[in-house]
C-alpha cells in the first residue's frame, strides 16, 4: 500500500541523495513511524495549529491528544520534530503562550509560526488579520520560551507584516 511506497521513497532519498527526508503525513501511529524511521526518515512535521484550550474552535475531526500522541511517537522514534501553529485565528495572547509552552515541553526542534490571512468564503473570513506588532510580539515570546529552537515565520508573513517583515529576525526568528 501507500506505506510501502512511502518507505521505498524515503529509502531511495537516503541512498541516492544528501536530502534529510522529512514527512508531513498528519496523524500517525508509532508502528508506522517506526517503519518510516527504519527506511531512513529523519524529520517529522506535524503542526499543533493552536493551543489545546482553543483547538475545538479550529478542528473537529480529531482531538488535541491525538495530535500530541503523533508528536510524542515521532520523538520516541528519534525523529527530529517540526511543529508549530497558526496565530490569529481568534485565540488570546495567553493562548499563544499556551501553544508555545506545549511546543517547548514536547522538545520540538523546528517551530514554523504562521499568521492567519483571513479569506472570503472560509470559516474564519470574519476575523481581522493580527497586526505586525502582534506577530512580532508572538515571535519574540516563542524565542524567549524556546531559545534553542529553529523558529521560522512562514504563512501570512507578507500580508500580516508588510514592510515590517525584516523585523522578524530582531524578534527572534
Amino acid at each position: 500500500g501507500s506505506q510501502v511506497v512511502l518507505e521505498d521513497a524515503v529509502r531511495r532519498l537516503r541512498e541516492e541523495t544528501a536530502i534529510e527526508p522529512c514527512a508531513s503525513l498528519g496523524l500517525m501511529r508509532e508502528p508506522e513511524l517506526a517503519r518510516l524511521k527504519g527506511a531512513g526518515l529523519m524529520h517529522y512535521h506535524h503542526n499543533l495549529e493552536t493551543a489545546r484550550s482553543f483547538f475545538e474552535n479550529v478542528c473537529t475531526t480529531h482531538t488535541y491528544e491525538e495530535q500530541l500522541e503523533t508528536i510524542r511517537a515521532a520523538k520516541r522514534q528519534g525523529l527530529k520534530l517540526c511543529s508549530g501553529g497558526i496565530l490569529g485565528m481568534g485565540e488570546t495572547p495567553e493562548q499563544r503562550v499556551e501553544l508555545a509552552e506545549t511546543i517547548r515541553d514536547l522538545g520540538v526542534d523546528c517551530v514554523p509560526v504562521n499568521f492567519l490571512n483571513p479569506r472570503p468564503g472560509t470559516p474564519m473570513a470574519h476575523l481581522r488579520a493580527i497586526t505586525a506588532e502582534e506577530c512580532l510580539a508572538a515571535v519574540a515570546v516563542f524565542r524567549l520560551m524556546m531559545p534553542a529552537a529553529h523558529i521560522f515565520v512562514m504563512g501570512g508573513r507578507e500580508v500580516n507584516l508588510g514592510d515590517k517583515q525584516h523585523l522578524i529576525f530582531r524578534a527572534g526568528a
Side-chain angles (χ1 to χ4, degrees), residues 62-89:
H62 56 271
T63 68
Y64 205 73
E65 197 53 46
E66 287 174 292
Q67 300 221 114
L68 294 174
E69 184 47 38
T70 292
I71 294 168
R72 290 180 187 127
K75 178 102 173 160
R76 287 192 297 269
Q77 288 302 314
L79 296 167
K80 294 284 187 189
L81 301 175
C82 180
S83 183
I86 306 171
L87 307 182
M89 295 190 291

PDB file of all heavy atoms in Angstrom, residues 62-89:
ATOM      1  N   HIS A  62     -10.528  15.535  14.865  1.00  0.00           N
ATOM      2  CA  HIS A  62      -9.703  14.723  15.767  1.00  0.00           C
ATOM      3  C   HIS A  62      -9.390  15.542  17.021  1.00  0.00           C
ATOM      4  O   HIS A  62      -9.686  16.729  17.072  1.00  0.00           O
ATOM      5  CB  HIS A  62      -8.416  14.243  15.079  1.00  0.00           C
ATOM      6  CG  HIS A  62      -7.582  15.342  14.515  1.00  0.00           C
ATOM      7  ND1 HIS A  62      -7.742  15.818  13.231  1.00  0.00           N
ATOM      8  CD2 HIS A  62      -6.589  16.080  15.060  1.00  0.00           C
ATOM      9  CE1 HIS A  62      -6.883  16.795  13.009  1.00  0.00           C
ATOM     10  NE2 HIS A  62      -6.176  16.984  14.100  1.00  0.00           N
ATOM     11  N   THR A  63      -8.801  14.881  17.998  1.00  0.00           N
ATOM     12  CA  THR A  63      -8.557  15.540  19.279  1.00  0.00           C
ATOM     13  C   THR A  63      -7.132  16.088  19.361  1.00  0.00           C
ATOM     14  O   THR A  63      -6.238  15.672  18.623  1.00  0.00           O
ATOM     15  CB  THR A  63      -8.765  14.559  20.453  1.00  0.00           C
ATOM     16  OG1 THR A  63      -7.724  13.571  20.402  1.00  0.00           O
ATOM     17  CG2 THR A  63     -10.129  13.898  20.391  1.00  0.00           C
ATOM     18  N   TYR A  64      -6.955  16.994  20.298  1.00  0.00           N
ATOM     19  CA  TYR A  64      -5.622  17.548  20.557  1.00  0.00           C
ATOM     20  C   TYR A  64      -4.695  16.445  21.059  1.00  0.00           C
ATOM     21  O   TYR A  64      -3.525  16.398  20.703  1.00  0.00           O
ATOM     22  CB  TYR A  64      -5.731  18.683  21.584  1.00  0.00           C
ATOM     23  CG  TYR A  64      -4.617  19.693  21.484  1.00  0.00           C
ATOM     24  CD1 TYR A  64      -4.579  20.600  20.433  1.00  0.00           C
ATOM     25  CD2 TYR A  64      -3.622  19.773  22.454  1.00  0.00           C
ATOM     26  CE1 TYR A  64      -3.577  21.561  20.345  1.00  0.00           C
ATOM     27  CE2 TYR A  64      -2.621  20.726  22.372  1.00  0.00           C
ATOM     28  CZ  TYR A  64      -2.601  21.606  21.316  1.00  0.00           C
ATOM     29  OH  TYR A  64      -1.608  22.549  21.227  1.00  0.00           O
ATOM     30  N   GLU A  65      -5.260  15.553  21.872  1.00  0.00           N
ATOM     31  CA  GLU A  65      -4.455  14.450  22.410  1.00  0.00           C
ATOM     32  C   GLU A  65      -3.921  13.563  21.288  1.00  0.00           C
ATOM     33  O   GLU A  65      -2.780  13.103  21.359  1.00  0.00           O
ATOM     34  CB  GLU A  65      -5.278  13.629  23.412  1.00  0.00           C
ATOM     35  CG  GLU A  65      -4.452  12.750  24.307  1.00  0.00           C
ATOM     36  CD  GLU A  65      -3.323  13.468  25.056  1.00  0.00           C
ATOM     37  OE1 GLU A  65      -3.545  14.561  25.622  1.00  0.00           O
ATOM     38  OE2 GLU A  65      -2.199  12.935  25.060  1.00  0.00           O
ATOM     39  N   GLU A  66      -4.719  13.335  20.244  1.00  0.00           N
ATOM     40  CA  GLU A  66      -4.239  12.545  19.097  1.00  0.00           C
ATOM     41  C   GLU A  66      -3.046  13.244  18.428  1.00  0.00           C
ATOM     42  O   GLU A  66      -2.097  12.593  18.005  1.00  0.00           O
ATOM     43  CB  GLU A  66      -5.364  12.331  18.088  1.00  0.00           C
ATOM     44  CG  GLU A  66      -6.424  11.342  18.519  1.00  0.00           C
ATOM     45  CD  GLU A  66      -7.586  11.288  17.543  1.00  0.00           C
ATOM     46  OE1 GLU A  66      -8.340  12.290  17.456  1.00  0.00           O
ATOM     47  OE2 GLU A  66      -7.737  10.252  16.885  1.00  0.00           O
ATOM     48  N   GLN A  67      -3.132  14.551  18.340  1.00  0.00           N
ATOM     49  CA  GLN A  67      -2.020  15.308  17.753  1.00  0.00           C
ATOM     50  C   GLN A  67      -0.761  15.156  18.611  1.00  0.00           C
ATOM     51  O   GLN A  67       0.330  14.910  18.095  1.00  0.00           O
ATOM     52  CB  GLN A  67      -2.382  16.795  17.650  1.00  0.00           C
ATOM     53  CG  GLN A  67      -3.578  17.077  16.801  1.00  0.00           C
ATOM     54  CD  GLN A  67      -3.354  18.291  15.971  1.00  0.00           C
ATOM     55  OE1 GLN A  67      -3.292  18.169  14.769  1.00  0.00           O
ATOM     56  NE2 GLN A  67      -3.196  19.433  16.576  1.00  0.00           N
ATOM     57  N   LEU A  68      -0.929  15.334  19.922  1.00  0.00           N
ATOM     58  CA  LEU A  68       0.211  15.209  20.836  1.00  0.00           C
ATOM     59  C   LEU A  68       0.811  13.810  20.762  1.00  0.00           C
ATOM     60  O   LEU A  68       2.041  13.659  20.778  1.00  0.00           O
ATOM     61  CB  LEU A  68      -0.212  15.530  22.272  1.00  0.00           C
ATOM     62  CG  LEU A  68      -0.638  16.970  22.551  1.00  0.00           C
ATOM     63  CD1 LEU A  68      -1.165  17.091  23.967  1.00  0.00           C
ATOM     64  CD2 LEU A  68       0.508  17.941  22.312  1.00  0.00           C
ATOM     65  N   GLU A  69      -0.023  12.795  20.675  1.00  0.00           N
ATOM     66  CA  GLU A  69       0.475  11.423  20.629  1.00  0.00           C
ATOM     67  C   GLU A  69       1.288  11.171  19.351  1.00  0.00           C
ATOM     68  O   GLU A  69       2.299  10.477  19.388  1.00  0.00           O
ATOM     69  CB  GLU A  69      -0.660  10.406  20.761  1.00  0.00           C
ATOM     70  CG  GLU A  69      -0.193   8.971  20.813  1.00  0.00           C
ATOM     71  CD  GLU A  69       0.972   8.692  21.776  1.00  0.00           C
ATOM     72  OE1 GLU A  69       1.021   9.286  22.880  1.00  0.00           O
ATOM     73  OE2 GLU A  69       1.856   7.886  21.417  1.00  0.00           O
ATOM     74  N   THR A  70       0.877  11.760  18.234  1.00  0.00           N
ATOM     75  CA  THR A  70       1.656  11.640  16.996  1.00  0.00           C
ATOM     76  C   THR A  70       3.052  12.225  17.195  1.00  0.00           C
ATOM     77  O   THR A  70       4.061  11.611  16.842  1.00  0.00           O
ATOM     78  CB  THR A  70       0.936  12.351  15.828  1.00  0.00           C
ATOM     79  OG1 THR A  70      -0.260  11.621  15.526  1.00  0.00           O
ATOM     80  CG2 THR A  70       1.812  12.439  14.590  1.00  0.00           C
ATOM     81  N   ILE A  71       3.113  13.410  17.799  1.00  0.00           N
ATOM     82  CA  ILE A  71       4.401  14.073  18.018  1.00  0.00           C
ATOM     83  C   ILE A  71       5.249  13.287  19.017  1.00  0.00           C
ATOM     84  O   ILE A  71       6.443  13.080  18.813  1.00  0.00           O
ATOM     85  CB  ILE A  71       4.186  15.534  18.459  1.00  0.00           C
ATOM     86  CG1 ILE A  71       3.549  16.319  17.303  1.00  0.00           C
ATOM     87  CG2 ILE A  71       5.500  16.174  18.898  1.00  0.00           C
ATOM     88  CD1 ILE A  71       3.038  17.682  17.689  1.00  0.00           C
ATOM     89  N   ARG A  72       4.620  12.806  20.087  1.00  0.00           N
ATOM     90  CA  ARG A  72       5.368  12.021  21.081  1.00  0.00           C
ATOM     91  C   ARG A  72       5.905  10.722  20.472  1.00  0.00           C
ATOM     92  O   ARG A  72       7.026  10.304  20.778  1.00  0.00           O
ATOM     93  CB  ARG A  72       4.476  11.707  22.281  1.00  0.00           C
ATOM     94  CG  ARG A  72       4.163  12.927  23.131  1.00  0.00           C
ATOM     95  CD  ARG A  72       3.262  12.531  24.304  1.00  0.00           C
ATOM     96  NE  ARG A  72       2.816  13.689  25.040  1.00  0.00           N
ATOM     97  CZ  ARG A  72       1.537  13.959  25.318  1.00  0.00           C
ATOM     98  NH1 ARG A  72       0.579  13.137  24.930  1.00  0.00           N
ATOM     99  NH2 ARG A  72       1.215  15.050  26.000  1.00  0.00           N
ATOM    100  N   ALA A  73       5.104  10.077  19.634  1.00  0.00           N
ATOM    101  CA  ALA A  73       5.533   8.831  18.987  1.00  0.00           C
ATOM    102  C   ALA A  73       6.725   9.102  18.072  1.00  0.00           C
ATOM    103  O   ALA A  73       7.694   8.336  18.051  1.00  0.00           O
ATOM    104  CB  ALA A  73       4.380   8.215  18.198  1.00  0.00           C
ATOM    105  N   ALA A  74       6.681  10.198  17.328  1.00  0.00           N
ATOM    106  CA  ALA A  74       7.806  10.560  16.453  1.00  0.00           C
ATOM    107  C   ALA A  74       9.054  10.821  17.293  1.00  0.00           C
ATOM    108  O   ALA A  74      10.164  10.411  16.924  1.00  0.00           O
ATOM    109  CB  ALA A  74       7.443  11.782  15.608  1.00  0.00           C
ATOM    110  N   LYS A  75       8.881  11.477  18.425  1.00  0.00           N
ATOM    111  CA  LYS A  75      10.003  11.767  19.325  1.00  0.00           C
ATOM    112  C   LYS A  75      10.591  10.460  19.874  1.00  0.00           C
ATOM    113  O   LYS A  75      11.811  10.282  19.919  1.00  0.00           O
ATOM    114  CB  LYS A  75       9.520  12.673  20.470  1.00  0.00           C
ATOM    115  CG  LYS A  75      10.575  13.002  21.490  1.00  0.00           C
ATOM    116  CD  LYS A  75      11.103  14.375  21.277  1.00  0.00           C
ATOM    117  CE  LYS A  75      12.034  14.794  22.386  1.00  0.00           C
ATOM    118  NZ  LYS A  75      12.876  15.889  21.947  1.00  0.00           N
ATOM    119  N   ARG A  76       9.722   9.522  20.289  1.00  0.00           N
ATOM    120  CA  ARG A  76      10.207   8.236  20.798  1.00  0.00           C
ATOM    121  C   ARG A  76      10.990   7.471  19.742  1.00  0.00           C
ATOM    122  O   ARG A  76      11.913   6.724  20.065  1.00  0.00           O
ATOM    123  CB  ARG A  76       9.036   7.375  21.294  1.00  0.00           C
ATOM    124  CG  ARG A  76       8.435   7.848  22.596  1.00  0.00           C
ATOM    125  CD  ARG A  76       7.487   6.829  23.208  1.00  0.00           C
ATOM    126  NE  ARG A  76       6.327   6.552  22.376  1.00  0.00           N
ATOM    127  CZ  ARG A  76       5.158   7.199  22.447  1.00  0.00           C
ATOM    128  NH1 ARG A  76       4.984   8.182  23.332  1.00  0.00           N
ATOM    129  NH2 ARG A  76       4.155   6.867  21.652  1.00  0.00           N
ATOM    130  N   GLN A  77      10.652   7.697  18.483  1.00  0.00           N
ATOM    131  CA  GLN A  77      11.365   7.031  17.390  1.00  0.00           C
ATOM    132  C   GLN A  77      12.686   7.723  17.057  1.00  0.00           C
ATOM    133  O   GLN A  77      13.419   7.270  16.193  1.00  0.00           O
ATOM    134  CB  GLN A  77      10.475   6.941  16.141  1.00  0.00           C
ATOM    135  CG  GLN A  77       9.352   5.948  16.273  1.00  0.00           C
ATOM    136  CD  GLN A  77       9.849   4.556  16.576  1.00  0.00           C
ATOM    137  OE1 GLN A  77      10.783   4.057  15.956  1.00  0.00           O
ATOM    138  NE2 GLN A  77       9.250   3.915  17.566  1.00  0.00           N
ATOM    139  N   GLY A  78      12.960   8.830  17.734  1.00  0.00           N
ATOM    140  CA  GLY A  78      14.221   9.525  17.494  1.00  0.00           C
ATOM    141  C   GLY A  78      14.198  10.449  16.295  1.00  0.00           C
ATOM    142  O   GLY A  78      15.249  10.865  15.804  1.00  0.00           O
ATOM    143  N   LEU A  79      13.010  10.776  15.819  1.00  0.00           N
ATOM    144  CA  LEU A  79      12.903  11.701  14.688  1.00  0.00           C
ATOM    145  C   LEU A  79      13.040  13.132  15.188  1.00  0.00           C
ATOM    146  O   LEU A  79      12.621  13.461  16.295  1.00  0.00           O
ATOM    147  CB  LEU A  79      11.554  11.518  13.986  1.00  0.00           C
ATOM    148  CG  LEU A  79      11.341  10.150  13.338  1.00  0.00           C
ATOM    149  CD1 LEU A  79       9.880   9.972  12.960  1.00  0.00           C
ATOM    150  CD2 LEU A  79      12.227  10.014  12.112  1.00  0.00           C
ATOM    151  N   LYS A  80      13.629  13.992  14.380  1.00  0.00           N
ATOM    152  CA  LYS A  80      13.650  15.420  14.674  1.00  0.00           C
ATOM    153  C   LYS A  80      12.245  15.947  14.432  1.00  0.00           C
ATOM    154  O   LYS A  80      11.592  15.587  13.451  1.00  0.00           O
ATOM    155  CB  LYS A  80      14.642  16.163  13.771  1.00  0.00           C
ATOM    156  CG  LYS A  80      16.082  15.784  14.025  1.00  0.00           C
ATOM    157  CD  LYS A  80      16.587  16.420  15.288  1.00  0.00           C
ATOM    158  CE  LYS A  80      18.073  16.178  15.462  1.00  0.00           C
ATOM    159  NZ  LYS A  80      18.527  16.604  16.771  1.00  0.00           N
ATOM    160  N   LEU A  81      11.764  16.804  15.336  1.00  0.00           N
ATOM    161  CA  LEU A  81      10.387  17.262  15.273  1.00  0.00           C
ATOM    162  C   LEU A  81      10.254  18.675  14.740  1.00  0.00           C
ATOM    163  O   LEU A  81      11.029  19.564  15.092  1.00  0.00           O
ATOM    164  CB  LEU A  81       9.770  17.220  16.674  1.00  0.00           C
ATOM    165  CG  LEU A  81       9.742  15.857  17.349  1.00  0.00           C
ATOM    166  CD1 LEU A  81       9.225  15.995  18.771  1.00  0.00           C
ATOM    167  CD2 LEU A  81       8.880  14.895  16.567  1.00  0.00           C
ATOM    168  N   CYS A  82       9.228  18.865  13.913  1.00  0.00           N
ATOM    169  CA  CYS A  82       8.870  20.182  13.394  1.00  0.00           C
ATOM    170  C   CYS A  82       7.388  20.365  13.701  1.00  0.00           C
ATOM    171  O   CYS A  82       6.557  19.605  13.200  1.00  0.00           O
ATOM    172  CB  CYS A  82       9.138  20.235  11.895  1.00  0.00           C
ATOM    173  SG  CYS A  82       8.741  21.824  11.148  1.00  0.00           S
ATOM    174  N   SER A  83       7.069  21.323  14.558  1.00  0.00           N
ATOM    175  CA  SER A  83       5.671  21.539  14.924  1.00  0.00           C
ATOM    176  C   SER A  83       5.459  22.987  15.337  1.00  0.00           C
ATOM    177  O   SER A  83       6.193  23.516  16.153  1.00  0.00           O
ATOM    178  CB  SER A  83       5.270  20.610  16.076  1.00  0.00           C
ATOM    179  OG  SER A  83       3.906  20.779  16.386  1.00  0.00           O
ATOM    180  N   GLY A  84       4.455  23.600  14.754  1.00  0.00           N
ATOM    181  CA  GLY A  84       4.120  24.982  15.093  1.00  0.00           C
ATOM    182  C   GLY A  84       2.628  25.183  15.038  1.00  0.00           C
ATOM    183  O   GLY A  84       1.858  24.292  15.401  1.00  0.00           O
ATOM    184  N   GLY A  85       2.221  26.349  14.591  1.00  0.00           N
ATOM    185  CA  GLY A  85       0.804  26.640  14.533  1.00  0.00           C
ATOM    186  C   GLY A  85       0.504  27.881  13.729  1.00  0.00           C
ATOM    187  O   GLY A  85       1.386  28.467  13.109  1.00  0.00           O
ATOM    188  N   ILE A  86      -0.773  28.227  13.749  1.00  0.00           N
ATOM    189  CA  ILE A  86      -1.266  29.422  13.059  1.00  0.00           C
ATOM    190  C   ILE A  86      -1.777  30.388  14.123  1.00  0.00           C
ATOM    191  O   ILE A  86      -2.634  30.023  14.931  1.00  0.00           O
ATOM    192  CB  ILE A  86      -2.410  29.075  12.082  1.00  0.00           C
ATOM    193  CG1 ILE A  86      -1.980  27.978  11.105  1.00  0.00           C
ATOM    194  CG2 ILE A  86      -2.871  30.326  11.341  1.00  0.00           C
ATOM    195  CD1 ILE A  86      -3.122  27.441  10.256  1.00  0.00           C
ATOM    196  N   LEU A  87      -1.245  31.578  14.125  1.00  0.00           N
ATOM    197  CA  LEU A  87      -1.676  32.590  15.082  1.00  0.00           C
ATOM    198  C   LEU A  87      -2.648  33.548  14.396  1.00  0.00           C
ATOM    199  O   LEU A  87      -2.528  33.807  13.202  1.00  0.00           O
ATOM    200  CB  LEU A  87      -0.471  33.350  15.622  1.00  0.00           C
ATOM    201  CG  LEU A  87       0.658  32.485  16.199  1.00  0.00           C
ATOM    202  CD1 LEU A  87       1.768  33.363  16.745  1.00  0.00           C
ATOM    203  CD2 LEU A  87       0.147  31.533  17.255  1.00  0.00           C
ATOM    204  N   GLY A  88      -3.606  34.054  15.178  1.00  0.00           N
ATOM    205  CA  GLY A  88      -4.567  34.999  14.628  1.00  0.00           C
ATOM    206  C   GLY A  88      -5.881  34.354  14.225  1.00  0.00           C
ATOM    207  O   GLY A  88      -6.620  34.898  13.406  1.00  0.00           O
ATOM    208  N   MET A  89      -6.194  33.178  14.807  1.00  0.00           N
ATOM    209  CA  MET A  89      -7.463  32.511  14.484  1.00  0.00           C
ATOM    210  C   MET A  89      -8.541  32.833  15.511  1.00  0.00           C
ATOM    211  O   MET A  89      -9.557  32.151  15.577  1.00  0.00           O
ATOM    212  CB  MET A  89      -7.259  30.996  14.390  1.00  0.00           C
ATOM    213  CG  MET A  89      -6.352  30.593  13.251  1.00  0.00           C
ATOM    214  SD  MET A  89      -6.317  28.807  12.939  1.00  0.00           S
ATOM    215  CE  MET A  89      -5.456  28.217  14.405  1.00  0.00           C
TER     216      MET A  89
END
